[in-house]
């Protein structure tokens, strides 16, 4: 695909909470415009229209194929429910459009593999970017920079805690059932497994998890069915370089300060990124016990803060820059597969009560990830 010098025209597929967040962010990026939207739900189309503004030209579709074939878009953002990702992404991969794919990649490992293989086999020259925007949170970015500078030495442990509010109500209650989401440890925490992979730069070997649905949604019923999505878990991951990760997820813990805390400990020190407070704490063992430097972190260049602390805006800036310069995606579908795979393994571990060897999943999967 030729280098893009004119405005980049975006189509947004799925205009719910995240889709409208994308619309606001795309429109905040210089040289980008939203020209089309697709959603089967009239109220969501109305949200999209409000988000782009009453004077903008916006083509509306109910079927993603009509949008993809409209000739009105250079790039699409896929922000429809998780169980639709596989079909929509395969259809988008067939067309010569740039793609930003919301997480999680797909709801099963087999579907993840199929889309990765389809993208690899495609002849279209374009950017396919995986939306894992927790990489772009300001304290996370600073932490990643410090890691590269060797601030804590060789990473030995990564502990990520997400303590937050329950899943919000959604159209058709799609997020109440694991068959639609892939399971909470895929749907929600693929972000954190992605961060662990990025921080350790290692391959996961073994996953052990304990989790359940202890509090949330137990009093809800949809067509006679009670939601089955777990709301709390501990997940432990062994990596092939001897480092280990731990995830602590609780979704009935909104009465707390930080939604996410990312703690990385190496042989020479420890760092903590506190996402809601937007702080980074750094301690070096050589400086002595309890000596910690606390930095307030802010991203100067963010033009739209939105629901994710400016991270979606920064993700879109990089996606658009890759489109303009014909650069490869910095966050790939394979990153989407790897981050989801740890979630699939964690769910399997909870179901069986035993650790899951990632080699078993890789063998089943047939892809070397
Ligand atoms: N990156 C993040 O932090 C983050 C945050 C929230 C949601 N998400 C992801 O974004 C996606 C959407 O989540 P949401 O919270 O916006 O859900 P939502 O229910 O608010 O919005 C989904 C929209 O997609 C529409 N839709 C359903 N089927 C469709 C189809 N076949 N084609 C086009 N549109 C369709 C629905 O009508 C709805 O308007 C999910 O994959 C979710 O995991 C990511």
């Amino acid at each position: 695909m030729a280098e893009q010098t004119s405005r980049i025209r975006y189509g947004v597929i799925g205009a719910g909470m995240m889709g409208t967040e994308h619309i606001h962010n795309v429109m905040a990026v210089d040289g980008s415009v939203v020209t089309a939207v697709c959603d089967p739900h009239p109220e969501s189309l109305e949200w999209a229209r409000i988000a782009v503004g009453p004077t903008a030209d916006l083509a509306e579709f109910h079927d993603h194929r009509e949008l993809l074939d409209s000739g009105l878009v250079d790039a699409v953002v896929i922000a429809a429910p998780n169980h639709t990702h596989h079909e929509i992404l395969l259809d988008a991969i067939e067309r010569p459009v740039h793609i930003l794919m919301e997480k999680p990649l797909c709801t099963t490992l087999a579907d993840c593999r199929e889309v990765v293989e389809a993208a690899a086999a495609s002849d279209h020259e374009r950017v396919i970017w995986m939306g894992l925007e927790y990489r772009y949170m300001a304290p996370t970015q600073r932490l990643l920079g410090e890691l590269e500078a060797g601030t804590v030495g060789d990473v030995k442990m990564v502990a990520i805690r997400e303590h937050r509010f329950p899943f919000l109500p959604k159209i058709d209650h799609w997020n109440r059932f694991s068959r639609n989401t892939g399971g909470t440890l895929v749907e929600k925490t693929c972000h954190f497994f992605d961060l662990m992979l990025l921080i350790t730069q290692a391959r996961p070997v073994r996953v052990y998890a304990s989790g359940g649905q202890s509090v949330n949604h137990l009093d809800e019923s949809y067509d006679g069915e009670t939601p089955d999505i777990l709301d709390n878990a501990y997940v432990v991951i062994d990596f092939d370089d001897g480092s280990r990760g731990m995830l602590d997820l609780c979704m009935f813990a909104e009465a707390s300060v930080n939604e996410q805390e990312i703690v990385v400990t190496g042989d020479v020190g420890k760092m903590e990124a506190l996402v809601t407070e937007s702080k980074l704490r750094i301690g070096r063992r050589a400086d002595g016990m309890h000596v910690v430097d606390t930095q307030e972190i802010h991203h100067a260049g963010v033009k739209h803060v939105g629901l994710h602390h400016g991270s979606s805006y920064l993700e879109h800036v990089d996606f658009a820059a890759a489109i303009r310069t014909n650069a490869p995606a910095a966050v790939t579908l394979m990153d989407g597969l790897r981050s989801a795979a740890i979630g699939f393994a964690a769910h399997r571990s909870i179901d069986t009560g035993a650790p899951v060897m990632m080699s078993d999943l890789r063998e089943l999967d047939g892809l070397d990830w």
Side-chain angles (χ1 to χ4, degrees):
M1 190 171 273
E3 209 166 291
Q4 178 103 22
T5 50
S6 53
R7 286 188 317 174
I8 305 172
R9 301 168 305 156
Y10 287 77
V12 175
I13 300 174
M17 192 204 75
M18 201 59 203
T20 43
E21 165 91 337
H22 279 293
I23 291 174
H24 287 296
N25 281 292
V26 167
M27 294 195 324
V29 176
D30 290 340
S32 297
V33 62
V34 177
T35 49
V37 65
C38 162
D39 199 298
H41 190 72
E43 204 177 314
S44 300
L45 289 173
E46 185 55 29
W47 290 339
R49 169 143 297 291
I50 293 167
V52 295
T55 54
D57 281 335
L58 182 70
E60 296 177 12
F61 301 96
H62 293 105
D63 186 304
H64 65 271
R65 283 163 288 248
E66 292 169 13
L67 182 149
L68 288 167
D69 293 332
S70 67
L72 294 172
V73 300
D74 307 303
V76 291
V77 176
I78 301 174
N82 302 357
H83 57 293
T84 67
H85 287 186
H86 176 246
E87 183 189 357
I88 296 174
L89 181 53
L90 283 179
D91 286 335
I93 286 169
E94 277 182 13
R95 274 80 167 178
V97 290
H98 304 285
I99 303 168
L100 192 152
M101 181 67 224
E102 256 308 336
K103 65 80 206 164
L105 181 52
C106 293
T107 55
T108 68
L109 193 52
D111 284 356
C112 289
R113 182 195 58 226
E114 197 180 343
V115 294
V116 166
E117 285 178 338
S122 161
D123 288 334
H124 300 306
E125 277 180 43
R126 43 67 190 287
V127 180
I128 306 183
W129 193 285
M130 189 67 217
L132 286 163
E133 94 279 349
Y134 279 53
R135 292 183 180 210
Y136 285 91
M137 301 258 177
T140 317
Q141 288 224 305
R142 182 69 69 83
L143 179 141
L144 293 170
E146 293 287 350
L147 273 177
E148 205 149 308
T151 303
V152 297
D154 279 343
V155 172
K156 302 298 180 192
M157 301 175 78
V158 185
I160 301 187
R161 167 180 291 165
E162 179 165 67
H163 279 194
R164 56 159 274 178
F165 53 91
F167 282 119
L168 297 170
K170 293 286 165 191
I171 290 163
D172 297 334
H173 326 294
W174 68 266
N175 67 348
R176 293 304 194 249
F177 296 98
S178 295
R179 61 177 176 269
N180 298 333
T181 67
T184 302
L185 300 175
V186 176
E187 144 77 353
K188 177 81 271 286
T189 64
C190 60
H191 281 302
F192 307 122
F193 299 137
D194 176 57
L195 289 181
M196 287 183 193
L197 291 166
L198 199 59
I199 289 167
T200 60
Q201 297 283 314
R203 269 159 70 103
V205 173
R206 183 170 51 183
V207 174
Y208 176 70
S210 166
Q213 184 184 8
S214 304
V215 175
N216 296 344
H217 318 302
L218 291 166
D219 56 352
E220 298 173 17
S221 175
Y222 304 100
D223 296 329
E225 207 181 347
T226 305
D228 67 350
I229 45 172
L230 62 77
D231 57 17
N232 70 103
Y234 292 118
V235 183
V236 174
I237 302 131
D238 289 322
F239 290 95
D240 65 353
D241 64 351
S243 62
R244 47 186 60 85
M246 191 195 73
L247 174 83
D248 164 1
L249 175 75
C250 180
M251 298 198 60
F252 42 89
E254 61 271 37
S256 54
V257 179
N258 284 301
E259 238 173 68
Q260 294 95 23
E261 298 183 352
I262 301 157
V263 183
V264 182
T265 313
D267 50 356
V268 304
K270 170 177 164 178
M271 279 191 288
E272 293 171 273
L274 309 177
V275 169
T276 309
E277 285 180 292
S278 212
K279 286 182 184 155
L280 185 69
R281 292 194 197 123
I282 302 177
R284 294 177 190 80
R285 298 173 73 197
D287 295 337
M289 292 228 296
H290 312 307
V291 179
V292 174
D293 173 31
T294 302
Q295 306 172 5
E296 303 269 347
I297 314 285
H298 297 291
H299 252 303
V302 171
K303 288 195 192 161
H304 182 79
V305 173
L307 303 172
H308 295 91
H309 311 284
S311 57
S312 298
Y313 171 78
L314 295 170
E315 175 182 72
H316 272 290
V317 169
D318 278 7
F319 177 50
I323 293 173
R324 290 199 181 286
T325 60
N326 273 331
V331 195
T332 63
L333 294 190
M334 193 54 115
D335 291 319
L337 183 151
R338 288 194 185 103
S339 59
I342 298 178
F344 294 126
H347 276 291
R348 183 186 285 201
S349 175
I350 290 170
D351 291 345
T352 60
V356 170
M357 300 304 293
M358 294 303 282
S359 54
D360 291 348
L361 290 196
R362 287 193 190 102
E363 212 165 284
L364 276 181
D365 191 48
L367 265 186
D368 185 27
W369 40 269

